Amino acid sequence: MADMEVVDRVKSWLSWSWTWYLWALWLFLVVLLIYLLRTPLRVYENMNIVAMFLNTLTPKFYVALTGTSSLISGLILIFEWWYFRKYGTSFIEQVSLNHLGPWLGGVENNNNGNNNTNNSQNNNQQSVPECKVWRNPLNLLRGAEYNRYTWVTGKEPLTYYDMNLSAQDHQTFFTCDTDHSRPSDELASVPSAVMQRAWRERNPQARIKAAHEALEKDSECATAYILLAEEEATTILETERLFKQALKVGEANYKKSQSTQHLGAHYEAIHRRDTNVCVYVRRRLAMCARKLGRVKEAVKMMRDLMKEFPMMSVLNIHENLIEALLELQAYADVQAVLAKYDDISLPKSATICYTAALLKARAVADKSFPFASCRFSPEIASKRGLSTAEMNAVEAIHRAVEFNPHVPKYLLETKSLILPPEHLLKRGDSEAIAYAFFHLPHWKRVDGALNLLHCTWEGSPYGESAVGDAPCHAFRMIPYPLEKGHLFYPYPSCTESADRELLPAFHEVSVYPKKELPFFILFTAGLCSVTALLALLTHQFPEPMGLVAKTFLNTITSPFNFLVEKLEGVLPSNLWHQLTRL
């Protein structure tokens, strides 16, 4: 493998050196031809005329020249900046690649036109949402997982904002409006009201104490068991035991309220709460089984839950199912789940997009394509071209990266992972952490998947090591800028501020990746500044600046004059006449 890399590098170096050798040879022949034709072309006379003309120029000419140059470069800078803000690329760079690239042997095609066409089509299909915070479908247990991290490291993995959102979720799921309609003295003795106070407590010990108080009032309080399982239990086994107690009580309450839900709004609210309790507990039990290694049991529990409560799809239980099926390496079942939930009318997530990309990468790896080894690179792909399967895999990764550009940093382990928060922001850093925390082993299990992701990410405009000059246009299909949208709605601008509230302070939030300014914009800005400064100096000090300009021109032409004198001394004076006689 190393020998092949050395051979490829030697070949590329020879190709590069031979190209420059041909250019140098061509330049030498041009200079030699001009020298030989200096008499018929009257080079000396023309140079004398130019020198005489420059000597007769007044300082006003230099003022006008530098001022005009400054104005033109400023107009070019304004146009370049406007074009960059609208289309995400430099106009001069685009024209160079499209028109000069084929002349210079380039093979890269610019596909901004296609991006803009897809833009208009997809913008009609999806609308721009707000930065909505979602419950993390794979959130960890506070007592058995988050607290253990705090005991070991002394760091708090959850922010107050995140825990406050969880408290609001628990009040919504596990309480109903009937608790507020009772008198205050009666309300104080109702376990559900005690639990409602417990969910609002900021101190964990106060919440646990309130849960025990509710169980003392009523040993059949399912939500009290839920709180104790979430926060007091220190092991997964203990958590599972408490959740089973909660499920036993919750199912009894669910069956009781199911028969009375049609009697009025009061009973309907109670039934809705009991339904939420059953769904929550059964899901948590499935997650406990997954954590304890009983993956097949967890898959069955999740399938039964989704089949029995199809209207609870808003809880994204299918993401738990996808992760468990990937652990079983049941890729056909994963594809079946994606076929149902990866629909254009349904909201997307990093789990949906990146799992689809993983399956496409696996399909290529199974056929033993070259990218399955470390030899795959954009350079090799540009030489031999991409097959249909490889192109589908690359496009799937582009789609996933466009949805959430933060995930590759964690999958490629260029950025450290932390414990995922209890809530996440879709397309944000919090979602990227939550996805990579659970799915990184699945990517490592598929040979070549991370390598393809690395090559595609590196060749994209957002790769950390990319400089925008990837040789294969297939690796530059990720649109820029993402805030204009392509396959999805425009990238939200509020993700960074929301992620900073969801993620702990010791974590460096991954911000929206932005492409650096093109070289031609920076060059034009520098040219405009320099010419404007020269115009100002020439206007204030015309005669010294004119002298400086003449000195500069003489300095530039002195090497050429020196070369001409040396050539005249070496070559015979009648060489031209001898060549004409041949």
Side-chain angles (χ1 to χ4, degrees), residues 187-347:
L187 190 63
S189 61
V190 176
S192 59
V194 176
M195 289 306 303
Q196 186 176 15
R197 187 180 76 250
W199 298 125
R200 293 196 299 262
E201 288 286 350
R202 295 183 58 180
N203 188 351
Q205 297 302 323
R207 289 194 296 269
I208 295 174
K209 181 180 179 181
H212 284 291
E213 180 182 345
L215 287 177
E216 291 176 0
K217 297 179 182 297
D218 183 7
S219 60
E220 302 297 315
C221 182
T223 54
Y225 287 116
I226 292 176
L227 190 146
L228 294 178
E230 290 281 353
E231 301 194 28
E232 187 181 40
T234 57
T235 63
I236 304 296
L237 288 173
E238 186 180 356
T239 299
E240 186 181 36
R241 179 183 61 79
L242 289 171
F243 273 130
K244 286 181 178 180
Q245 290 180 298
L247 180 62
K248 181 180 179 180
V249 176
E251 286 184 338
N253 294 334
Y254 173 75
K255 293 177 181 179
K256 185 186 303 183
S257 62
Q258 189 177 23
S259 60
T260 60
Q261 61 174 325
H262 61 280
L263 298 179
H266 170 79
Y267 295 98
E268 185 179 354
I270 295 177
H271 177 66
R272 188 182 307 113
R273 179 194 61 193
D274 294 339
T275 302
N276 292 337
V277 170
C278 281
V279 172
Y280 184 90
V281 173
R282 290 175 61 178
R283 177 183 188 166
R284 278 309 214 183
L285 281 172
M287 295 173 67
C288 288
R290 163 68 181 90
K291 295 174 187 294
L292 293 172
R294 307 194 305 269
V295 187
K296 291 184 178 180
E297 178 185 344
V299 168
K300 184 180 183 304
M301 295 173 68
M302 293 173 190
R303 289 189 185 276
D304 294 341
L305 187 59
M306 294 170 62
K307 184 178 181 179
E308 187 175 348
F309 299 96
M311 300 303 294
M312 302 298 287
S313 59
V314 69
L315 298 177
N316 297 323
I317 304 176
H318 59 275
E319 296 195 9
N320 299 82
L321 178 60
I322 289 174
E323 196 278 328
L325 290 174
L326 287 174
E327 179 65 21
L328 292 176
Q329 301 185 40
Y331 298 108
D333 294 337
V334 174
Q335 185 62 56
V337 177
L338 288 179
K340 181 178 180 180
Y341 289 96
D342 194 3
D343 187 80
I344 193 170
S345 60
L346 298 177

Side-chain angles (χ1 to χ4, degrees), residues 11 80 122 197 243 294 302 365 409 478 487 545 561:
K11 288 182 178 179
E80 278 280 299
N122 290 281
R197 187 180 76 250
F243 273 130
R294 307 194 305 269
M302 293 173 190
K409 294 182 180 179
I478 301 177
L487 298 174
M545 289 303 296
N561 295 331

Side-chain angles (χ1 to χ4, degrees), residues 18-30:
W18 180 251
T19 302
W20 279 104
Y21 171 76
L22 291 178
W23 277 105
L25 181 60
W26 177 84
L27 181 61
F28 175 75
L29 292 176
V30 170

Side-chain angles (χ1 to χ4, degrees), residues 168-185:
Q168 296 176 14
D169 292 340
H170 292 152
Q171 292 180 65
T172 303
F173 290 159
F174 306 140
T175 62
C176 57
D177 297 335
T178 58
D179 296 334
H180 302 280
S181 60
R182 302 182 184 185
S184 58
D185 55 344

Side-chain angles (χ1 to χ4, degrees), residues 117-132:
T117 303
N118 295 332
N119 245 348
S120 59
Q121 295 176 355
N122 290 281
N123 284 342
N124 295 331
Q125 299 172 350
Q126 301 207 30
S127 58
V128 180
E130 297 179 356
C131 284
K132 179 182 178 181

